[in-house]
Amino acid sequence: MRAVGQLRWFRLVAGLGFCLALTLDALAQQKLDIAPRVTVAIRDARLVTVSGETIERGTLVIRDGRIAAVGATAAIPSGAQIIDGKGLTVYPGMIDAATSLGLVEIPAVAATVDQGEVGDYNPNARAIVAVNPHSAHVRVTRYNGITNVATMPDGGVICGQATFINLYGTSPQEMAVVPSLGLVINFPRLNTGGGGPFAAFRQPPPANIAEAIATRNRRVEELRQVLREAADYGRAKAAAAADPNIPRPATNVVYESLLPALRGEMPVFFRADRAQDIHAVLAFAEDMGLRPIIVGGNDAWMCAAELKAKNVPVILTGVLDLPSREDDPYDVLYENAAKLHQAGVKFCISTGDNGAHVRDLPYHAGMAAAFGLSPQAALRAVTLSAAEVLGVSDRLGSLDVGKMANVVVADGDLLEPRTRVKYAFIDGRPAQLTSRHTELYEQFKERK
Amino acid sequence: MLNTTPLRFALACGLATALGFGTPARTPAQQKAQTPTLIRNATLLTVTKGTLENSDLLIENGKIAKIGKGLTAPAGARVIDATGKYVLPGIIDCHSHSMIDAVNEGSLSVTSMCRIRDVLNPNDVDLYRALAGGVTTLNLLHGSANAIGGQNQVVKIKYGRPIEEFLFPDAPPGIKFALGENPKRSNFRFPGQTQRYPNSRMGVEETIRDAFVRARDYKRQWDDYNAAKARGENVVTPRRDLQLEPLVEVLEGKRYVHAHCYRAEEILMLMNLAEEFGFRVRTLQHVLEGYKIAREIAKHGAGASAFADFWSYKVEAYDAIPHDAALMTRAGVIVSLNSDDDGRARRLNMEAARVMKYGDLTENEALRLITINPAIQLGIDRRVGSLEVGKDADLAIWTAHPLSVYARVETTFIDGEVFFDRQTDLARREALARERAELEAAEVNRPQGGGAPPPVPARRRPAYSFGDNCMQMTKE
């Protein structure tokens, strides 16, 4: 008895101590990304909801992992921790809709690259399996107010399945918001030479353009064939399920993984930049009954009417790229977003980066704003529009009651490079804003 | 502003190209340069003399003639109302490979005899794109495939002019060195080539040491010869060594060393070696671990030309932190930011803004990183890098503060002459589209078999011969 009583007493004291230590700062300094959800009220802050009006002075409440209240006035639950938001602005966390963050640590070191598989058709390769929660890129990215990314495989024709993750968690499963987000396809394109900066490794331009076109067409037909076989497989399975007299086809993991896309349950991310390729993707997807999303989209502005008519969204990854044609206007890619916006095409802005530079997402959006997009639309392009394109806007992308509490608090305009993120919450948990970089900085700033 | 369009290069014959660019005659634009320009009512970010609000700047004869309030325009002057706009000195990119048709002579480990000046292409369209980002001066460097690379060239981006007009007057000559993964070829092999010495950082040191030992002997040989000759003795002239001559200039302090480097110990190695041979490293390029030994860099007196936040592309870039430039600045090092990339060159202002955030620099300290500091590092600060009376009128007008992501360049001047103007650019687009259509329809561009031309975009002329993408390997 006595021993039990002592244990209870000990538990009570320990519990009290834990409660006392449960301040935001303490949680945000936890070494692992497994802090409990908190109840927090950010008061007197500027609230940029993105979905609606900006509230110049208001309160946002986070509770049970969700946004519990947003408004000029809001009831603050008892026991909530208060953040004085004076001079601060609250935003939904930014979303980079097309990265390979977590699959590549150092591109020059092959052992750290898990981005692509061998062979042309790997629809069953799933990014969520290989995302490294402990990649230094995760926290470095989060530091700038990016709370979510879509991570995609690359290589071959059907690269595999993208995943959508929180930049928070100690396992891929803890990070996953949508484990299998969609299929990723590098749409076969015309070989016009190129392939990197090394002349020795570069593909020569085709000697015979007709041959190059034939090769591209053959590869497209191959892709079509794989999808048709998968659809046949799906029909055979359905028929067997409906009628016990029909033999069940042997399970084929490759075909199996294509079925959700063929049934329209899963979008297909088509990497395509040039107008002719975008046009070909649209025709192909329509023909095959797929739900396409264009990734890249450097020439999307040329196809705006068609994209709009077919209601196909675009994830722009090349806002900061150099124009691909020598005679393009210098700002052709800076202006791409503004032109799509004007044409009413659904789009969002992404870095397209494999990890280390996803943190620069706000500057990609900012540059589009310097060239014709309104600052509001630019912010939307890396928050709510990204969520919409990825099909997660019911949960993320804006400051609305009921949404997942992925919220950042900054000391200024989120798209400005000089702005600092002061707090970040992911799934209602306070997220550390330390990183490999801040740690090295802390170490070496003391060395005089 | 442009003498010809890039499209014409793709579609027309070489004769037109030669006519477009080879003529040294004064163009109308150049004559206009003699016309004074008054920029009125701007915020002048002078960099060295503070920020002047609602002020005017007068350009005469290619120089900044006056700075002040309520300046009167001389007769015939072009007057620009810059109310609400900002004027920044032309951005100086301390590490660029634009215009260079052959970046790397990757055969030997010491290629000091190669000169970047010999392979410059003034028609590189990325020059125009850099101008549109407010950049006016570039330090063009050899690639980083070798421990001792080739000789550099500093240029003003006089896009559309003959190459002679690009060469920066009186810019001290320099040479590129490279340490670490690239000269030891950690991440690449040239196909068909056998392995080359060095293969480690030890070997890199030895390669540079060996070259300077030879250069010292060579210098002694010539010094002895000159002394003997001065005494009137009849002596045989030593054999010229084109590889060692530039290194002798380094020993004599007449040629700057711009050294590509990453890790702290290799930076220390080079500074120690330089001190042993009696010269100073002028700039450490990239210097991503410079923050670990900022004190030693300051003591040696080297400048540092870094990236703002580029990292994790190879192992030696894994300890790079975006606080690097700021920590070195705090230690008293003259720091600049460079692009090493035609894309990044267009946004060096954004690079500066990032360092300001990560490392707590002031606005002016951040602006120095891309203006006066690189000018000091390149030995051209007498002429450029700040808005001061008497300096070259190399500057740009920005629509907002250049440290804002929403800022855009309106007009870029070099020596008082407009080399980029957004309104002109916009106005020309329609004419260019028409010209393109005409050229595409021209007989010479029709396929011989008839029918429509194949839908193949013209390939950009590759800017580099091999091995020069920063991400992978050896441009840097």
Side-chain angles (χ1 to χ4, degrees), chain B residues 23 54 60 69 89 139 159 183 198 214 225 250 338 394 410 428 447 474:
Chain B
T23 337
N54 304 322
E60 276 181 319
K69 282 186 200 287
N139 180 27
Y159 188 58
R214 287 186 288 128
Y225 164 77
V250 170
N338 66 59
D394 292 11
E410 209 46 50
R428 286 202 52 175
T474 53

Side-chain angles (χ1 to χ4, degrees), chain B residues 150-328:
Chain B
Q151 302 167 30
N152 75 325
Q153 179 63 50
V154 180
V155 296
K156 290 196 180 201
I157 313 179
K158 295 205 169 180
Y159 188 58
R161 291 295 162 70
I163 190 66
E164 299 76 30
E165 293 192 35
F166 281 72
L167 308 181
F168 198 108
D170 311 323
I175 187 166
K176 170 85 169 268
F177 284 18
L179 315 177
E181 290 182 17
N182 291 2
K184 75 193 188 84
R185 298 189 169 175
S186 302
N187 300 313
F188 67 103
R189 291 272 177 276
F190 293 119
Q193 265 190 25
T194 49
Q195 200 169 8
R196 185 195 76 177
Y197 193 95
N199 190 43
S200 73
R201 284 180 166 84
M202 300 181 282
V204 171
E205 195 258 10
E206 203 276 339
T207 300
I208 298 172
R209 174 178 300 280
D210 175 73
F212 276 103
V213 166
R214 287 186 288 128
R216 202 165 50 187
D217 286 351
Y218 180 68
K219 176 174 152 44
R220 199 171 295 140
Q221 211 180 345
W222 274 95
D223 287 348
D224 290 350
Y225 164 77
N226 286 329
K229 220 178 153 200
R231 288 193 300 269
E233 293 172 24
N234 189 14
V235 281
V236 180
T237 316
R239 184 176 189 271
R240 277 188 73 188
D241 188 322
L242 298 182
Q243 187 190 49
L244 296 180
E245 268 180 14
L247 301 183
V248 169
E249 288 170 0
V250 170
L251 289 171
E252 290 170 340
K254 294 175 188 159
R255 182 175 289 278
Y256 293 164
V257 172
H258 302 293
H260 154 121
C261 56
Y262 285 81
R263 269 173 38 183
E265 74 292 327
E266 71 188 13
I267 299 166
L268 290 172
M269 171 277 281
L270 184 67
M271 294 191 303
N272 289 337
L273 189 145
E275 283 167 21
E276 185 187 323
F277 280 90
F279 67 93
R280 193 171 297 156
V281 180
R282 184 70 182 191
T283 70
L284 296 160
Q285 297 282 328
H286 312 318
V287 60
L288 297 190
E289 289 188 12
Y291 69 95
K292 293 183 178 177
I293 46 158
R295 179 182 73 210
E296 287 85 347
I297 296 173
K299 185 158 168 266
H300 178 77
S305 188
F307 295 130
D309 64 354
F310 200 43
W311 75 295
S312 196
Y313 44 97
K314 48 185 174 177
V315 171
E316 62 189 0
Y318 201 54
D319 266 8
I321 61 173
H323 317 73
D324 184 35
L327 283 174
M328 291 190 289

Side-chain angles (χ1 to χ4, degrees), chain A residues 244-331:
Chain A
N245 295 322
I246 297 176
R248 203 186 144 75
T251 303
N252 181 315
V253 290
V254 173
Y255 294 155
E256 200 74 47
S257 59
L258 288 167
L259 293 179
L262 287 165
R263 286 195 294 256
E265 295 162 10
M266 190 186 249
V268 182
F269 298 95
F270 283 99
R271 288 202 181 91
D273 276 313
R274 297 182 306 184
Q276 68 201 59
D277 296 328
I278 294 171
H279 178 75
V281 164
L282 296 180
F284 181 86
E286 198 166 75
D287 184 34
M288 301 305 294
L290 303 172
R291 206 144 58 78
I293 297 172
I294 303 292
V295 178
N298 279 359
D299 284 352
W301 62 277
M302 293 182 189
C303 315
E306 197 183 354
L307 289 162
K308 162 83 176 151
K310 296 192 167 159
N311 197 24
V312 171
V314 182
I315 301 173
L316 293 177
T317 61
V319 173
L320 297 187
D321 286 0
L322 284 165
S324 45
R325 282 169 286 255
E326 200 167 4
D327 51 341
D328 274 337
Y330 78 98
D331 57 358

Side-chain angles (χ1 to χ4, degrees), chain A residues 340-357:
Chain A
L340 293 185
H341 184 65
Q342 207 175 6
V345 176
K346 172 57 67 192
F347 76 97
C348 65
I349 291 174
S350 155
T351 60
D353 193 78
N354 56 30
H357 307 289

Side-chain angles (χ1 to χ4, degrees), chain A residues 116-123 125 154-160 186 219 222:
Chain A
E117 254 317 322
V118 178
D120 277 342
Y121 299 98
N122 294 293
D154 203 347
V157 178
I158 302 184
C159 317
N186 287 336
R219 287 168 66 79
E222 241 171 54

Side-chain angles (χ1 to χ4, degrees), chain A residues 138-207:
Chain A
V138 171
R139 289 192 182 198
V140 161
T141 304
R142 193 163 77 194
Y143 184 88
N144 275 4
I146 296 118
T147 57
N148 291 85
V149 299
T151 282
M152 299 182 180
D154 203 347
V157 178
I158 302 184
C159 317
Q161 294 171 38
T163 187
F164 183 67
I165 54 173
N166 279 328
L167 292 183
Y168 192 95
T170 58
S171 72
Q173 288 67 35
E174 280 175 8
M175 301 175 95
V177 179
V178 185
S180 280
L181 182 70
L183 204 61
V184 183
I185 294 182
N186 287 336
F187 197 72
R189 49 167 287 178
L190 202 61
N191 168 30
T192 51
F198 285 81
F201 303 126
R202 217 179 274 140
Q203 281 185 300

Side-chain angles (χ1 to χ4, degrees), chain A residues 395-417:
Chain A
R395 279 169 282 177
L396 288 161
S398 60
L399 300 182
D400 283 305
V401 171
K403 282 201 177 179
M404 189 190 275
N406 286 18
V407 169
V408 298
V409 184
D411 67 359
D413 184 333
L414 197 55
L415 301 189
E416 285 282 15

